[in-house]
Amino acid sequence: MTEIQAGLTVCTVLVVPYIVQAIKTKAMTGNVARWIAISVSTLCGVLTAMAGGMPTDASAWVTSIFAAVGGVQVAYAAFRSVGVTDKWLDALLALGDIKED
């Protein structure tokens, strides 16, 4: 894994949980949100693998994809345990809402 790929993986791990939380609605269960996070992080892992040029061996694909998927799942669990995704992101998303009295 090159420095660019490692940097992209770290960015993916930190950003994807926020994206999933931002699109999460009451109509979407936690299980659906988890699969969306896995799908998005898999796509990001594929793009990360291709950042240094098209990989020629399967291990480069697997490393990038599993690093992104696993990292996002770990980050989401860590963010959720300290309330980052629930409290902070929900507060940021509510900044544009003006409540009428």
Side-chain angles (χ1 to χ4, degrees):
M1 186 175 272
T2 66
E3 291 85 11
I4 292 173
Q5 290 171 320
L8 288 172
T9 301
V10 170
C11 289
T12 298
V13 165
L14 295 176
V15 171
V16 170
Y18 288 109
I19 293 170
V20 172
Q21 186 71 19
I23 63 172
K24 192 173 173 182
T25 62
K26 292 182 182 181
M28 183 186 308
T29 65
N31 204 21
V32 172
R34 180 176 296 114
W35 282 107
I36 288 174
I38 290 171
S39 300
V40 171
S41 54
T42 299
L43 175 64
C44 290
V46 168
L47 295 174
T48 300
M50 295 187 315
M54 189 65 71
T56 56
D57 60 349
S59 65
W61 288 105
V62 171
T63 300
S64 293
I65 292 169
F66 282 172
V69 172
V72 167
Q73 293 302 305
V74 169
Y76 190 76
F79 291 164
R80 190 163 178 83
S81 69
V82 295
V84 171
T85 55
D86 289 337
K87 295 175 186 169
W88 293 7
L89 185 63
D90 289 343
L92 287 173
L93 292 174
L95 286 178
D97 294 340
I98 299 174
K99 296 181 182 179
E100 294 182 23
D101 291 329

